[in-house]
Amino acid sequence: MVQIGTSDLQDRLMDYIQDQTGLPIYADQLNEDNVLNFTVDPPSLDWEEMDRTQHLIYNYSIQARSVQDQPDMLNADAPTAEQLFKNMFRIRDALLQLSFKRALFSKNGSFQFETIEVQAPHDAGQDFTGARTLTLSFAVHVTERH
C-alpha cells in the first residue's frame, strides 16, 4: 500500500505486513478507531563507513485505538480491544519472520534490509472516553549507500 509521503522502506514493510497477515494497515490514521496505524519515528545512525555507506535504524510503531470500553459507541462489526491485541501479535509474528527469511527488498534500491527488533504489543493507556490505545514498536536495521 503506497501512501503519499512514505518511504520505500515504510511502503515495503506495510506491504509485507498486509501480505503476511491479511490485515489492512494505514499510514497516519490513528484518528479512526480500530484502524491499524503505521507511525514513523526519526531514524538514527548506527554507524557509517568511509565510502558513505550508512547503517541506520528506523523506528516504527503500529497503533490502534479501541472503543471496546464504550458499549454505546461500539460498532458491532469493529474488532474489540482483545481482537486488536490478537492482530498485533499476528503482525509481531510476521515481523519476527523477517530476520529469518530476509524477505524485505527495496523497489528503488534505497535500502538493504539487515535485521529487525520487535517488542511485544502493549496497552499504551486509556483516554478519558474509555478508548484504549494499543502499540507494537519495532526497529528496522538497514544499509543505505549515499
Side-chain angles (χ1 to χ4, degrees):
M1 168 177 288
V2 176
Q3 298 286 328
I4 295 174
T6 61
S7 69
D8 183 36
L9 176 59
Q10 182 177 344
D11 291 341
R12 299 299 65 78
L13 285 164
M14 290 173 63
D15 289 344
Y16 175 82
I17 291 167
Q18 288 181 311
D19 290 347
Q20 297 298 307
T21 65
L23 298 169
I25 189 163
Y26 303 92
D28 302 322
Q29 297 291 319
L30 192 56
N31 59 336
E32 296 182 34
D33 294 332
N34 302 308
V35 170
L36 294 169
N37 174 49
F38 196 101
T39 61
V40 181
D41 294 328
S44 58
L45 179 64
D46 198 15
W47 56 286
E48 185 170 14
E49 297 178 28
M50 294 296 286
D51 68 355
R52 295 179 35 156
T53 299
Q54 293 182 330
H55 301 270
L56 298 164
I57 303 169
Y58 284 87
N59 299 296
Y60 297 104
S61 62
I62 296 175
Q63 295 181 325
R65 185 175 61 203
S66 170
V67 292
Q68 192 236 354
D69 293 333
Q70 303 176 61
D72 56 327
M73 295 181 67
L74 185 61
N75 177 342
D77 298 329
T80 63
E82 181 180 347
Q83 183 59 50
L84 287 174
F85 256 120
K86 288 178 183 178
N87 290 347
M88 292 284 195
F89 274 101
R90 285 176 54 200
I91 294 169
R92 179 180 185 262
D93 291 344
L95 290 172
L96 287 172
Q97 292 300 310
L98 273 176
S99 286
F100 300 111
K101 295 179 185 178
R102 299 187 58 86
L104 194 65
F105 302 99
S106 173
K107 279 196 175 177
N108 64 13
S110 63
F111 70 88
Q112 178 181 340
F113 174 77
E114 299 296 333
T115 190
I116 189 167
E117 299 170 32
V118 186
Q119 296 180 0
H122 65 280
D123 187 338
Q126 184 175 23
D127 67 16
F128 66 93
T129 67
R132 305 206 72 79
T133 302
L134 312 175
T135 302
L136 170 65
S137 300
F138 53 100
V140 181
H141 297 252
V142 298
T143 301
E144 295 180 1
R145 296 196 186 276
H146 297 278

